[in-house]
Amino acid sequence: MARSLFLRVLVFCGVLLGGVRGKTTTATTPSYTSVPVYPAPLGGRNSQDNDWLDAYDKARAFVTELTLLEKINLTTGTGWEMGPCVGNTGTIPRLGFTSLCLQDSPTGVRYADYNSLFPAGLATAATFNKELMYQRGQALGKEFLAKGANAILGPAVGPMGRTPEGGRNWETFGPEPYLQGIAGALSVLGIQDQGVMATAKHFLLYEQEHFRQVAEFQGFGWSSIEAPYSSNVDDRTLHEVYAWPFADMIRAGVASVMCSYNMANNSQACQNSYLLNRVLKDELGFQGFVMSDWGGQRSGVASALAGLDMTMPGDGLSWADDNPLWGPQLALSVLNGSVPIWRLDDMATRIMAAYYKVGQDQLTIEPNFQSWSFDTYGAVYPRSYDTPYATINKHVNARSALSSNVTATIATESMVLLKNNGGLPLQAYGSLALLGSAAGPPPLGPNGCENLECNNGTLGMGWGSGTANYPYLVTPLEAINAKVRANSMSLAYNLDDDDLDGCASTAENMDAAIVFITSDSGECLASVEGNIGDRNDLYAWHSGDDLVKAVAAVNTNTIVVVETVGAIDMEAWIENENVTAVLYAIVAGQDVGTGIAEILFGDSSPSGKLPFTVAKNTTDYPASVAYTMSSTSPQINYTEGIFIDYKHFDKNDITPRYEFGYGLSYTTFEISDVSAEVVDSANISTYADTAPAYLDAEYYNETYLPSSNSLIYPDDIPRYEYFIYPYLTVKQALNVYYNDNAYPYPNGYSTEQASSPSPSGGASGGNPALWDVLATVSASVSNTGSVYGGEVVQLYISYPTVTDIDFPIRSLRGFEKVFLDAGDSATVGFNLTRRDLSYWDVITSDWVLPSGEFGVYVGNSSRNAVNTASFEL
Ligand SMILES: *[C@@H]1O[C@H](CO)[C@@H](O)[C@H](O)[C@H]1NC(C)=O
Ligand SMILES: *[C@@H]1O[C@H](CO)[C@@H](O)[C@H](O)[C@H]1NC(C)=O
Ligand SMILES: *[C@@H]1O[C@H](CO)[C@@H](O)[C@H](O)[C@H]1NC(C)=O
Ligand SMILES: *[C@@H]1O[C@H](CO)[C@@H](O)[C@H](O)[C@H]1NC(C)=O
Ligand SMILES: *[C@@H]1O[C@H](CO)[C@@H](O)[C@H](O)[C@H]1NC(C)=O
Ligand SMILES: *[C@@H]1O[C@H](CO)[C@@H](O)[C@H](O)[C@H]1NC(C)=O
Ligand SMILES: *[C@@H]1O[C@H](CO)[C@@H](O)[C@H](O)[C@H]1NC(C)=O
Ligand SMILES: *[C@@H]1O[C@H](CO)[C@@H](O)[C@H](O)[C@H]1NC(C)=O
Ligand SMILES: *[C@@H]1O[C@H](CO)[C@@H](O)[C@H](O)[C@H]1NC(C)=O
Ligand SMILES: *[C@@H]1O[C@H](CO)[C@@H](O)[C@H](O)[C@H]1NC(C)=O
């Protein structure tokens, strides 16, 4: 299996990603363009970032000792499948510094064994439980560390989920920027507390799979595509929606940020100087390193100048082409003066600062697995015909008690009960029928399809690189069967989705009939049942609507379980009186069946809430995936601006089927005593006080540029075919001349570092004053029902009126999950920061605090939150 996996990846990528060059560009002139911003800010200059400043001291002490080639080795991957991990940097043998291992994915250690497959980001969001968000990060961190990975390629907070069909929406925490920010930051803290570097991705505006890479979509038949899609978005939306969660993760100290495949305003995200130099490294004060998505780097010099710090997997414009854009080319770019040496120094320093920031100098990190094979002994560099052989897999069991607890707890707490007319919890007697293939095991086993690129049997995860192998998969059938035996009940089932008559007759005369339907999506590595990553529509797969209708026609207690990557259209049967309950199981991971059974049988009261809106009609959403292209460089204009998901429904007065934040329980809660007040000492000026000036720019010894001859391949190191080394060929070394004026620099190019951050910047995450607490809100919550349960108390605010500024009717600005015994109550408190109450002003490029009355809505969904208080600024 492992070997075929390796071959398939290779062949597949070769086909899809080859032939990218040599096209003449006749693309229609794009009307959105990105502003050039240079130079790339040097790291280590934020006077208030003490953790980072310590890390920079150590990083500078290390980097100052490095030769040019050693620095290059830190920045460039060794090539696809040229090392144990999906990304491997070069090494510094002279100092005993080993390769950095960068490994997928946000849901577990990919391409490994004895790892967990955690509930996905969207399931984690559905718990609305901050402690679990942190613990999941910790558990992930422990597993990556146990496998010897330096960095986890996650958490993902982009895509935001602008379109409900977006293929990778489930990898992230849903279309509410505030929720993405909290969940992303807590994940980062959990991961990095274990000593593993977290990677915030994908930066930025990567909202759909269609047309994300040119050669890939030529491979899917769009032969005329010449550029990936461009996400065109206004500056306010960019800051308030898409960059927002990155700010929280950067404030939490995230080590790395991954730039994405798409373009933004017609400039490739990995060489977009506005996004990287301005937004990320200046405004958001990011101190770690920017790594490219795999193949996301589209230029050498331009990406270096625009702020890229590490290229992965090291290959060039097409996969495994042995023609890197950096490596020796970066050395040449420095020697010929096109890339200033300080830029390379900054790349290396940023990478090492991140390494010290999470304390990796105190750890021994050696990968003990191999992504390309499960064999114990095998090829170290599987792409290379002259690869050495060694022990490549130690089969280390990375799982911990914490992992098991987190996977099971999130699987249960993420279940969202949407409808319940008495169907649930199940009575612990009588007869049950389970209908539909999604109740049972995948015929080929949990890992029967590579990267989970299929939807057969129980669906616990979407597909693509955001997955890992299942260590096991608890199906609903298995978990329910156990409860049936324990309660002396009886169970029948029919797992054939197409056998409507058979399913109906199995369901007839049963005390309850539970129908399992699915909806899947993933990364466009593969087209699954005709869906190229993005979902083609929001209907249940495998004619799920027909199955529900057939069963509901004969059983008055039909319960529908939806195993899904997001919202589905349920209008065909949602109001059917025989459908007595509907439960969403959102990408819940290896323990999905356990979670479903816990809720169905009432062992746990459901406490998950929708982290997205379920519409009555797909056309009710503000935007849809662009499935076709009308230009050789597809343009996607985000004309809905900040109004995505519930903010769009609220603004346009569209009644959703189930709103954001909604979810039922087996008990009842009452929220009362809402009060809000402005903090006494709050500085309520329109603009925050600006952060202190940058610390002085520190440069290394700039007079030092080695002679090109000294960078030629040495004779005494092993040279494996396809391995990306930093060295020059003799020919390259003979033909390099220094001229720091010769490169056609973009307009606005400068090498002069700013002395102060831009107004919204100044520290990791942005101006620290943005996190000043200006107002507080408190509320009481009581469990007025008869069983123990959890409630998510949600705080939404409305803004004062400001001329020419359109605000959402309600914006989520706080949530706390509280578990209470029947009859108990608790008080919850919320802090509202300057950032929470501000909007992005496109004229001054800064956050503005409006003055006037802010409305305070506290409740248990975005539409069941009553305006019970207000405060004036
Ligand atoms: C794209 O262009 C819009 C309109 O000019 C601008 O507001 C926004 O900041 C630009 N975004 C990027 C990433 O360049
Ligand atoms: C660069 O890394 C490779 C291994 O990835 C190593 O063989 C080589 O010696 C390193 N070069 C230098 C100059 O450290
Ligand atoms: C310097 O070298 C790089 C890498 O080979 C190349 O892309 C760039 O165009 C060169 N600069 C000039 C001015 O030729
Ligand atoms: C997880 O751990 C908590 C705290 O120790 C415990 O109360 C809970 O029962 C555990 N849950 C599971 C599913 O193991
Ligand atoms: C699994 O799903 C794929 C479609 O994605 C289908 O072609 C295949 O036959 C299914 N395999 C089994 C064993 O059901
Ligand atoms: C509900 O089930 C009953 C009993 O099987 C059936 O007679 C009735 O038609 C069903 N109602 C709907 C709306 O399907
Ligand atoms: C969904 O909306 C579209 C466009 O408004 C409309 O044509 C269609 O009939 C609607 N579908 C349903 C089932 O209401
Ligand atoms: C996007 O906006 C630009 C500028 O307004 C316009 O020229 C273009 O036609 C729009 N493209 C699409 C697909 O709406
Ligand atoms: C800078 O490097 C040059 C060349 O190696 C060396 O001669 C000089 O002493 C160095 N300067 C400092 C301040 O280290
Ligand atoms: C609110 O902020 C105060 C002071 O910064 C802090 O002690 C408290 O824990 C915060 N409360 C919440 C609910 O975050």
Side-chain angles (χ1 to χ4, degrees):
M1 185 243 152
R3 198 66 196 174
S4 74
L5 174 152
F6 150 66
L7 286 173
R8 185 173 179 280
V9 168
L10 191 64
V11 170
F12 188 75
C13 294
V15 170
L16 292 188
L17 295 166
V20 103
R21 283 161 298 170
K23 293 263 166 200
T24 48
T25 300
T26 54
T28 40
T29 313
S31 42
Y32 276 89
T33 54
S34 206
V35 203
V37 181
Y38 298 95
L42 287 177
R45 298 181 65 207
N46 285 337
S47 64
Q48 307 189 354
D49 274 347
N50 292 325
D51 288 0
W52 277 109
L53 290 176
D54 287 348
Y56 267 89
D57 284 345
K58 293 176 187 159
R60 287 188 183 117
F62 183 84
V63 173
T64 198
E65 299 297 325
L66 301 186
T67 65
L68 186 117
L69 292 183
E70 288 168 341
K71 293 171 195 169
I72 303 270
N73 258 4
L74 284 176
T75 66
T76 303
T78 58
W80 181 241
E81 292 176 337
M82 296 302 279
C85 303
V86 298
N88 308 278
T89 60
T91 60
I92 306 174
R94 188 175 62 88
L95 301 175
F97 189 83
T98 53
S99 177
L100 298 176
C101 159
L102 319 176
Q103 190 67 5
D104 288 322
S105 85
T107 56
V109 186
R110 188 182 177 206
Y111 290 145
D113 51 11
Y114 304 111
N115 57 281
S116 301
L117 180 56
F118 287 85
L122 201 56
T124 309
T127 70
F128 279 80
N129 183 330
K130 294 182 190 173
E131 198 183 340
L132 282 178
M133 291 167 182
Y134 175 77
Q135 287 177 350
R136 174 173 169 275
Q138 271 188 314
L140 277 162
K142 278 186 201 295
E143 294 201 9
F144 277 75
L145 194 62
K147 287 290 187 185
N150 296 79
I152 168 176
L153 303 177
V157 294
M160 179 63 63
R162 171 182 179 259
T163 68
E165 308 92 349
R168 299 181 75 175
N169 290 354
W170 55 269
E171 293 187 39
T172 82
F173 306 102
E176 168 36 81
Y178 180 88
L179 177 56
Q180 289 259 23
I182 301 282
L186 290 168
S187 305
V188 167
L189 290 173
I191 291 163
Q192 295 195 165
D193 282 354
Q194 302 304 310
V196 171
M197 295 193 265
T199 309
K201 70 184 189 183
H202 305 85
F203 199 77
L204 195 68
L205 301 163
Y206 171 42
E207 293 293 322
Q208 66 171 51
E209 296 300 286
H210 276 78
F211 316 124
R212 68 170 190 170
Q213 292 189 101
V214 169
E216 192 176 44
F217 277 82
Q218 287 171 342
F220 284 119
W222 280 274
S223 53
S224 65
I225 185 171
E226 287 173 2
Y229 69 83
S230 174
S231 292
N232 303 326
V233 56
D234 69 86
D235 216 35
R236 180 176 173 210
T237 303
L238 189 148
H239 286 84
E240 290 188 26
V241 179
Y242 298 96
W244 177 286
F246 286 92
D248 291 289
M249 293 161 92
I250 292 166
R251 188 170 152 84
V254 74
S256 173
V257 169
M258 183 191 289
C259 53
S260 54
Y261 286 125
N262 56 287
M263 301 201 291
N265 285 9
N266 293 290
S267 166
Q268 213 46 74
C270 288
Q271 66 191 60
N272 185 313
S273 64
Y274 179 76
L275 284 182
L276 302 183
N277 288 344
R278 168 86 190 195
V279 177
L280 186 63
K281 290 184 173 177
D282 173 10
E283 293 174 357
L284 302 183
F286 177 56
Q287 300 297 298
F289 62 96
V290 178
M291 102 176 50
S292 71
D293 201 342
W294 271 230
Q297 184 194 25
R298 307 312 298 164
S299 65
V301 175
S303 63
L305 301 178
L308 184 69
D309 301 306
M310 181 187 280
T311 176
M312 280 293 152
D315 305 327
L317 288 169
S318 31
W319 281 92
D321 64 358
D322 202 25
N323 200 359
L325 291 162
W326 280 4
Q329 296 297 332
L330 185 54
L332 289 170
S333 308
V334 171
L335 292 182
N336 71 15
S338 293
V339 173
I341 179 78
W342 60 258
R343 182 71 268 272
L344 174 63
D345 290 338
D346 180 53
M347 294 173 190
T349 310
R350 283 175 172 275
I351 292 163
M352 291 310 299
Y355 173 92
Y356 287 112
K357 170 76 165 57
V358 301
Q360 294 202 334
D361 55 320
Q362 305 298 313
L363 299 168
T364 305
I365 302 183
E366 284 288 352
N368 50 39
F369 69 104
Q370 231 267 9
S371 297
W372 323 110
S373 166
F374 287 120
D375 294 345
T376 301
Y377 185 84
V380 175
Y381 306 125
R383 276 198 61 230
S384 205
Y385 67 83
D386 55 355
T387 174
Y389 283 75
T391 297
I392 51 172
N393 275 307
K394 294 188 180 156
H395 310 289
V396 171
N397 189 351
R399 294 165 297 173
S400 62
L402 180 65
S403 300
S404 314
N405 189 298
V406 163
T407 55
T409 307
I410 296 182
T412 303
E413 272 198 42
S414 62
M415 294 292 152
V416 187
L417 182 63
L418 293 177
K419 176 177 179 180
N420 192 11
N421 292 353
L424 293 178
L426 293 169
Q427 305 300 315
Y429 61 83
S431 56
L432 288 183
L434 309 188
L435 298 317
S437 59
L444 303 177
N447 302 312
C449 307
E450 209 174 300
N451 301 315
L452 310 184
E453 286 157 7
C454 64
N455 178 10
N456 299 334
T458 302
L459 181 74
M461 197 58 61
W463 76 80
S465 67
T467 63
N469 287 313
Y470 279 106
Y472 60 77
L473 170 61
V474 182
T475 66
L477 176 59
E478 177 190 342
I480 291 169
N481 224 336
K483 303 240 186 220
V484 162
R485 288 199 303 275
N487 288 306
S488 194
M489 300 166 70
S490 75
L491 179 72
Y493 56 84
N494 183 330
L495 305 184
D496 185 349
D497 298 319
D498 299 323
D499 183 13
L500 298 182
D501 292 344
C503 285
S505 71
T506 305
E508 223 174 342
N509 300 319
M510 292 290 182
D511 292 321
I514 311 176
V515 185
F516 291 82
I517 61 176
T518 62
S519 182
D520 200 1
S521 76
E523 187 178 9
C524 58
L525 300 178
S527 166
V528 175
E529 300 185 32
N531 297 263
I532 304 175
D534 305 312
R535 287 190 281 173
N536 290 339
D537 58 52
L538 300 184
Y539 295 107
W541 288 32
H542 309 154
S543 307
D545 283 349
D546 294 342
L547 184 60
V548 174
K549 285 192 284 188
V551 172
V554 298
N555 191 305
T556 56
N557 190 19
T558 299
I559 294 155
V560 182
V561 175
V562 185
E563 295 166 5
T564 185
V565 291
I568 72 161
D569 184 326
M570 300 178 283
E571 294 306 304
W573 43 264
I574 191 69
E575 287 181 1
N576 185 320
E577 64 198 10
N578 288 352
V579 174
T580 53
V582 176
L583 184 70
Y584 263 34
I586 305 167
V587 279
Q590 66 193 34
D591 293 316
V592 54
T594 308
I596 290 170
E598 288 289 299
I599 300 295
L600 293 182
F601 284 82
D603 297 291
S604 297
S605 175
S607 64
K609 303 285 176 180
L610 282 178
F612 47 75
T613 298
V614 178
K616 290 187 174 173
N617 189 333
T618 303
T619 59
D620 289 344
Y621 290 101
S624 206
V625 163
Y627 296 102
T628 56
M629 40 179 246
S630 56
S631 134
T632 53
S633 59
Q635 302 292 304
I636 303 181
N637 297 342
Y638 289 30
T639 47
E640 73 289 341
I642 62 174
F643 298 96
I644 61 169
D645 202 67
Y646 69 90
K647 292 170 185 166
H648 166 80
F649 287 77
D650 289 350
K651 178 180 160 71
N652 296 288
D653 206 11
I654 302 166
T655 306
R657 176 53 64 183
Y658 296 112
E659 71 269 21
F660 175 89
Y662 179 82
L664 299 169
S665 165
Y666 293 152
T667 185
T668 53
F669 293 93
E670 197 175 289
I671 293 168
S672 60
D673 302 330
V674 177
S675 69
E677 61 185 40
V678 177
V679 170
D680 281 347
S681 56
N683 170 1
I684 56 166
S685 57
T686 303
Y687 292 95
D689 293 343
T690 48
Y694 280 135
L695 299 173
D696 287 344
E698 286 187 40
Y699 296 94
Y700 297 88
N701 185 351
E702 282 203 85
T703 59
Y704 173 73
L705 267 193
S707 75
S708 59
N709 287 341
S710 68
L711 309 186
I712 293 171
Y713 273 101
D715 296 328
D716 59 345
I717 69 158
R719 227 174 124 174
Y720 301 108
E721 186 76 17
Y722 293 119
F723 197 98
I724 294 164
Y725 296 94
Y727 308 105
L728 307 184
T729 61
V730 173
K731 194 172 161 209
Q732 285 170 331
L734 287 175
N735 287 297
V736 50
Y737 306 99
Y738 188 88
N739 181 350
D740 60 4
N741 261 325
Y743 187 80
Y745 290 109
N747 285 337
Y749 181 73
S750 154
T751 58
E752 197 177 322
Q753 290 287 325
S755 56
S756 302
S758 60
S760 68
S764 289
N767 187 341
L770 292 170
W771 273 269
D772 287 350
V773 175
L774 303 190
T776 57
V777 173
S778 86
S780 302
V781 53
S782 314
N783 182 341
T784 52
S786 54
V787 295
Y788 173 83
E791 180 62 300
V792 179
V793 184
Q794 303 165 37
L795 165 66
Y796 297 83
I797 62 156
S798 65
Y799 291 82
T801 304
V802 177
T803 312
D804 294 336
I805 303 291
D806 211 0
F807 286 110
I809 291 182
R810 283 175 289 269
S811 299
L812 183 73
R813 285 296 181 260
F815 61 88
E816 292 296 334
K817 190 167 201 174
V818 182
F819 283 90
L820 293 171
D821 280 319
D824 280 3
S825 27
T827 303
V828 291
F830 304 96
N831 288 334
L832 289 166
T833 65
R834 171 180 281 274
R835 174 176 175 250
D836 290 334
L837 303 174
S838 297
Y839 66 93
W840 181 260
D841 180 53
V842 298
I843 310 291
T844 55
S845 292
D846 197 3
W847 295 98
V848 167
L849 183 67
S851 60
E853 188 172 293
F854 288 80
V856 171
Y857 302 69
V858 181
N860 65 359
S861 86
S862 61
R863 288 193 167 215
N864 187 30
V866 198
N867 179 201
T868 34
S870 62
F871 59 89
E872 187 106 17
L873 288 182

